[in-house]
Amino acid sequence: MTGGAGFIGSHLSERLLSEGYEVVCMDNLRTGSVENVSHLLDRPGFRFVEHDVTTYIDVPGEIEEVYHFASPASPADFERIPIPILKVGALGTYNALGLAKAKGSRLMLASTSEVYGDPLVHPQPESYQGNVNPIGVRGVYDEAKRYAESITMAYRRHHGVDTRIVRIFNTYGPLMRVDDGRMIPNFITQALSGEPLTVYGDGSQTRSVQYVDDLVEGVRRLMQSEEWRPVNIGNPVEYSVEEVARLILELSGSESLLARKPLPEDDPRQRCPDISRAREVLGWEPGVLAREGLSRTVEWFAARRAWST
Ligand code: UDP
């Protein structure tokens, strides 16, 4: 698991361990944290390796499955560390594919709804080819992931590597970085500390948010399926950013106000997955309502706050 100490990687590592897999969790800790996997360190079959996957990956022994989940993914990171993002999408994916090729492993690439950019087709089916600005600030992530899909398909066609591509839509839950900079961690942290919730633009842009447990289930089903085409995994219930802010205020019992901030460059107007393929091929659909998943996440952030102060 590359990016195994990240938000999604750590949830997935835990799931794989509980299914009886041995997990090699690799992370350079640039945005991941050992804290995310501290509860797994003593579990039999779990090994943490601090390594930057933009350099050659060496793992002894046999490997059944490679999950390439390493990448900073917050828009705040796109401005802060653009070159590492491009490198992990390009060189990191190249090295992960090289590992899978050498070991005869199945490889899953964690791709993203960002390959659709600011979409002109709504909701977005996997066949939509996107509307990405290659030279904008978000381009570093969008294009890195588009390249990653491309090289994954080249390894499949040219080297016969058995690949899977999951296009992940906005995902939230416990273990997200408090200072991650994304909508949900920002809103929850602000609500819990009584600060205004920073709504960018007029808050009418939309996102479709899924709870991490639903994503993990979709990822496992995809890995076990024979579907090599990209598959959207996301919750198709769409909210405006302002609705998410108000829901978080309600669930946290906060009296914070909303504060308007400028809309970031190329911020997608709308985003919603068409999950027909996941339904048909994987029999998957999300089961956790936003109200429930966000409540659990607010509780986790509140407990973490209490513990760290
Ligand atoms: N957003 C916001 N306030 C914040 C952080 C984000 O209004 O403090 C908005 C952002 O402009 C975007 C949406 O929330 O329209 C989702 O942003 P996020 O950073 O979670 O990731 P994205 O889906 O854009 O990749």
Side-chain angles (χ1 to χ4, degrees):
M1 174 84 54
T2 78
F7 160 53
I8 293 173
S10 50
H11 281 276
L12 206 44
S13 293
E14 179 160 15
R15 167 74 182 257
L16 289 165
L17 272 181
S18 68
E19 286 185 36
Y21 282 79
E22 288 178 21
V23 178
V24 179
C25 166
M26 201 168 264
D27 206 297
N28 69 352
L29 303 179
R30 190 187 286 273
T31 52
S33 155
V34 177
E35 243 177 61
N36 286 347
V37 290
S38 56
H39 59 301
L40 306 178
L41 291 173
D42 293 336
R43 296 258 293 262
F46 184 80
R47 192 154 66 89
F48 175 73
V49 179
E50 187 172 342
H51 178 70
D52 181 342
V53 297
T54 64
T55 65
Y56 184 79
I57 305 172
D58 181 28
V59 179
E62 288 174 22
I63 301 176
E64 200 178 320
E65 297 173 347
V66 174
Y67 292 82
H68 180 42
F69 277 64
S71 180
S74 167
D77 296 331
F78 303 168
E79 290 196 57
R80 194 172 62 89
I81 43 173
I83 295 165
I85 292 174
L86 284 157
K87 285 177 71 178
V88 75
L91 300 174
T93 307
Y94 167 67
N95 288 325
L97 284 160
L99 178 71
K101 176 172 170 259
K103 302 279 183 181
S105 333
R106 181 170 284 190
L107 176 139
M108 179 182 287
L109 169 69
S111 186
T112 168
S113 55
E114 279 290 309
V115 300
Y116 303 124
D118 188 7
L120 304 175
V121 169
H122 194 71
Q124 294 83 53
E126 290 86 351
S127 56
Y128 178 50
Q129 293 179 8
N131 177 37
V132 169
N133 174 7
I135 60 164
V137 282
R138 295 181 83 101
V140 297
Y141 183 65
D142 303 10
E143 297 295 7
K145 289 293 189 184
R146 289 169 68 93
Y147 172 90
E149 288 198 9
S150 185
I151 192 172
T152 297
M153 287 306 298
Y155 265 68
R156 175 176 192 86
R157 295 193 183 104
H158 199 72
H159 289 311
V161 175
D162 187 15
T163 55
R164 304 286 177 274
I165 297 175
V166 56
R167 290 189 180 150
I168 301 171
F169 282 67
N170 290 60
T171 305
Y172 67 90
L175 301 182
M176 281 188 108
R177 244 162 64 215
V178 172
D179 60 353
D180 166 283
R182 271 179 287 193
M183 170 176 74
I184 289 175
N186 275 6
F187 288 169
I188 294 181
T189 308
Q190 291 157 346
L192 292 175
S193 57
E195 288 163 21
L197 274 57
T198 51
V199 172
Y200 300 162
D202 66 3
S204 67
Q205 69 275 28
T206 67
R207 293 294 184 273
S208 305
V209 297
Q210 79 179 321
Y211 190 63
V212 63
D213 290 0
D214 282 330
L215 170 71
V216 167
E217 180 62 29
V219 160
R220 286 297 295 139
R221 287 192 190 200
L222 176 58
M223 194 57 139
Q224 286 162 322
S225 80
E226 293 307 312
E227 181 57 81
W228 56 269
R229 298 172 300 171
V231 179
N232 289 338
I233 297 289
N235 190 326
V237 181
E238 190 179 356
Y239 293 91
S240 72
V241 165
E242 178 156 342
E243 282 170 338
V244 174
R246 295 201 183 281
L247 185 56
I248 287 173
L249 284 180
E250 182 199 324
L251 296 173
S252 58
S254 168
E255 293 182 356
S256 288
L257 303 171
L258 302 188
R260 307 283 169 188
K261 291 263 182 104
L263 190 67
E265 179 187 320
D266 291 335
D267 197 279
R269 278 297 313 155
Q270 52 184 0
R271 189 184 284 153
C272 180
D274 176 333
I275 60 165
S276 313
R277 180 173 290 170
R279 280 201 174 104
E280 276 159 33
V281 180
L282 311 178
W284 175 90
E285 60 181 15
V288 182
L289 299 174
R291 189 167 270 284
E292 188 190 338
L294 285 172
S295 298
R296 284 189 220 163
T297 310
V298 166
E299 262 172 49
W300 183 83
F301 272 73
R304 200 182 183 287
R305 245 174 99 76
W307 167 83
S308 62
T309 48

